[in-house]
Amino acid sequence: MIFFNEKIETLNRSELDALVEERIHYTVRYANEHSPFYRKWFKEHRIDPREIHTHEDLRELPIISGKSIRENQPPRTPDFRFKSVDWKDVFTLHETSGTSGNPKAFFLTWEDWQRYAEKYARIFVSQGLGPQDRVIVCASYGMNVGANTMTLAARDIGMTIIPEGKCTFPPRIIRDYQPTAIVGSIFKLLGLARKMAKENMPPQESSIKRLVIGGESFAQVSRAYLAELWGCDVYNSYGSTEGTMCGECTEINGLHVPEDLVHLDIYDPQMKDFVHDGDCGRIVLTTLLPVGAKSGTLLLNYDTDDTTVVVTRDRCKCGRTHMKIQNPQRESETFWVEHTPFNRVDVEQGVFQRENMEYLTGEYEAFLYGGEGETILRVSVECLDQHKADRKVVEENFLKAFFKYKPNLAEAYSSDVFKVIFNFVGPWELELYSIKGRPKRIVDRR
Ligand SMILES: [Zn+2]
């Protein structure tokens, strides 16, 4: 199995663009007819939905955000104004984890499920998975869409799923069932590897041939370390309840976007304009519906708050023609010091320097403090053994990697305007362990 949907995944650029435009036109019309929010939105902005045909037309429309969804559902409004089918056609409803305010409600029809599943199926097949595989899913089966629709994707590929939901399962699961792949997050898979090593089951010698990670951005060094620990390839995926399901193929140089099902544009909020391929900006998403399809919640020009860069729209060595984007980063994890931005991933890059990993588990957290004319970044790292860690080596490696592409910050550091303080803690001593839910790796206390 090389492709899940060869015809669509290998369409040439002009055929793909034509399909996208047909679907933009239909989706906009569908939104006007079925989504109370968009009907009002078109009216307020004096947009004639019949006039929207191309993706350039789409770029002329305003941009909405998560706030728009929260303001158009209870308790703010009596009904869910993004819901775009009758209740009788809603198969499941979902909520996004509410890290920033109330959870957003999402309604899915059965057709939506099939489309979400197809996106995952294409990703899995592009990563070399097939009917011969047994896959442990360590993504949550709760109100999230991901794990559920991955499981449906497995049915369509013919794979076996082991629906653990969490990465805390006993290592005997791997010994007894000989799974070939695990879907999970970098940190959970690092923890699992340590647990297996302790139980005398080195992960490199296990049946696992591939890891699929998702749900967060990461530094390339942490991926490399994970691949080394497990002795296998590690592929990235980027999925969300909103329906972006992009994934790295075996080429591992960018994530393919399922362009026929979701349209992505890259926007610079400072310039208030869309950027060219190769430039970094925020991902703005539009659902694409095949003509005649029904959708429970659709989004037009939705700002995801994640940033990325379009790598290429040319045919990939794997044969797929759908465009590739860089590993997206969360805008909410970008911090500014001395007019210079850095992301959580930059801190992670410093932690995961290979030599550091002789002493560290990879778990870390950082805090930003502001004072009179100075900013302090306090980085806490979890040590394998607090007393044996070579602190000087870890600190030097961290600083070298962290400042590598940030000359402004390096200068602020050398003139003492920006200070970096290290804190070496023992296993399970990080503050984030005592916090419920998704841990925040960097907390801005300025
Ligand atoms: Zn590819």
Side-chain angles (χ1 to χ4, degrees):
M1 212 174 190
I2 302 168
F3 299 100
F4 180 73
N5 186 341
E6 181 167 2
K7 187 167 170 282
I8 292 286
E9 290 177 84
T10 60
L11 280 179
N12 68 40
R13 183 46 57 187
S14 61
E15 291 167 329
L16 185 55
D17 285 345
L19 182 66
V20 167
E21 307 218 316
E22 178 189 77
R23 291 185 175 183
I24 286 176
H25 188 58
Y26 173 74
T27 306
V28 167
R29 266 176 33 221
Y30 182 92
N32 188 48
E33 284 161 23
H34 298 94
S35 160
F37 170 82
Y38 279 112
R39 198 178 306 128
K40 189 160 161 255
W41 188 72
F42 288 131
K43 243 186 220 145
E44 277 173 6
H45 294 281
R46 295 172 196 280
I47 301 158
D48 182 351
R50 287 166 307 181
E51 299 289 301
I52 311 294
H53 292 276
T54 65
H55 93 108
E56 282 85 6
D57 296 339
L58 208 52
R59 286 176 165 211
E60 300 297 318
L61 308 186
I63 287 172
I64 68 154
S65 66
K67 196 166 154 244
S68 322
I69 299 180
R70 287 191 195 95
E71 285 176 353
N72 285 278
Q73 66 176 36
R76 300 291 293 273
T77 55
D79 50 359
F80 295 90
R81 299 211 164 142
F82 274 84
K83 184 164 85 61
S84 54
V85 283
D86 291 338
W87 274 110
K88 71 174 173 53
D89 289 319
V90 174
F91 176 51
T92 55
L93 61 87
H94 300 265
E95 286 187 335
T96 60
S97 48
T99 42
S100 46
N102 281 335
K104 293 169 293 200
F106 272 84
F107 302 89
L108 266 66
T109 61
W110 172 241
E111 285 180 21
D112 288 319
W113 268 69
Q114 288 172 309
R115 282 189 290 272
Y116 277 42
E118 166 147 11
K119 288 186 253 190
Y120 275 120
R122 290 187 202 168
I123 293 173
F124 289 145
V125 171
S126 81
Q127 295 167 341
L129 290 160
Q132 72 283 358
D133 283 290
R134 289 191 282 282
V135 183
I136 301 180
V137 174
C138 294
S140 153
Y141 278 88
M143 291 294 266
N144 290 328
V145 181
N148 291 297
T149 49
M150 279 177 205
T151 303
L152 184 59
R155 189 209 63 162
D156 297 339
I157 300 172
M159 312 193 293
T160 302
I161 289 284
I162 306 172
E164 287 288 345
K166 284 181 173 174
C167 238
T168 47
F169 59 85
R172 68 159 183 87
I173 295 288
I174 294 186
R175 189 192 58 218
D176 295 352
Y177 299 106
Q178 298 283 303
T180 53
I182 310 179
V183 178
S185 76
I186 288 233
F187 286 96
K188 302 234 166 94
L189 293 167
L190 285 175
L192 179 60
R194 279 198 299 275
K195 195 155 92 183
M196 287 170 68
K198 247 185 219 159
E199 295 190 19
N200 237 343
M201 288 176 57
Q204 305 94 318
E205 291 167 23
S206 73
S207 52
I208 301 296
K209 294 192 185 80
R210 287 176 186 82
L211 300 176
V212 181
I213 50 176
E216 62 189 4
S217 51
F218 55 81
Q220 289 306 330
V221 283
S222 27
R223 180 218 299 257
Y225 182 62
L226 189 66
E228 182 190 323
L229 275 190
W230 283 87
C232 68
D233 284 324
V234 177
Y235 299 107
N236 190 20
S237 67
Y238 167 66
S240 65
T241 306
E242 288 87 346
T244 44
M245 275 73 175
C246 306
E248 274 175 343
C249 62
T250 46
E251 294 297 314
I252 314 192
N253 60 0
L255 294 85
H256 284 290
V257 177
E259 284 190 70
D260 58 313
L261 295 170
V262 58
H263 180 72
L264 298 191
D265 264 321
I266 313 297
Y267 185 80
D268 180 342
Q270 259 122 37
M271 283 161 46
K272 294 201 182 334
D273 203 359
F274 290 92
V275 302
H276 297 290
D277 290 359
D279 290 341
C280 183
R282 291 243 279 264
I283 300 174
V284 169
L285 164 160
T286 293
T287 314
L288 293 183
L289 301 177
V291 173
K294 277 183 182 173
S295 177
T297 305
L298 61 88
L299 298 167
L300 306 176
N301 272 9
Y302 176 80
D303 183 345
T304 58
D305 260 346
D306 292 338
T307 60
T308 194
V309 174
V310 173
V311 176
T312 178
R313 292 177 201 264
D314 295 338
R315 184 184 295 267
C316 178
K317 275 193 193 144
C318 75
R320 288 170 183 78
T321 50
H322 293 217
M323 73 181 200
K324 291 195 286 190
I325 57 170
Q326 272 182 14
N327 189 5
Q329 298 192 345
R330 284 210 173 89
E331 184 84 343
S332 61
E333 290 179 333
T334 297
F335 304 87
W336 291 77
V337 172
E338 292 295 306
H339 311 291
T340 307
F342 73 86
N343 190 273
R344 171 180 64 74
V345 170
D346 298 315
V347 173
E348 194 166 308
Q349 175 88 8
V351 172
F352 273 86
Q353 291 301 299
R354 185 59 191 87
E355 202 181 3
N356 292 0
M357 301 315 289
E358 299 299 320
Y359 312 111
L360 307 180
T361 65
E363 297 284 350
Y364 69 93
E365 64 192 355
F367 302 90
L368 271 169
Y369 301 97
E372 201 97 333
E374 62 171 24
T375 305
I376 296 166
L377 177 68
R378 184 165 69 92
V379 184
S380 300
V381 289
E382 186 182 67
C383 304
L384 293 164
D385 182 337
Q386 212 178 340
H387 306 290
K388 286 189 190 149
D390 190 329
R391 299 178 182 212
K392 199 158 172 270
V393 164
V394 172
E395 290 183 19
E396 278 174 5
N397 282 328
F398 180 96
L399 294 171
K400 208 169 133 199
F402 184 73
F403 289 124
K404 196 170 178 193
Y405 300 108
K406 297 184 168 43
N408 285 349
L409 271 187
E411 204 186 304
Y413 178 75
S414 54
S415 56
D416 270 352
V417 183
F418 179 48
K419 289 181 179 155
V420 184
I421 298 171
F422 293 90
N423 181 27
F424 294 82
V425 304
W428 304 104
E429 286 176 11
L430 292 173
E431 285 181 32
L432 62 83
Y433 288 126
S434 57
I435 294 163
K436 272 203 159 177
R438 184 187 283 170
K440 258 191 168 174
R441 295 274 167 189
I442 301 187
V443 182
D444 194 343
R445 291 187 173 155
R446 289 177 291 180

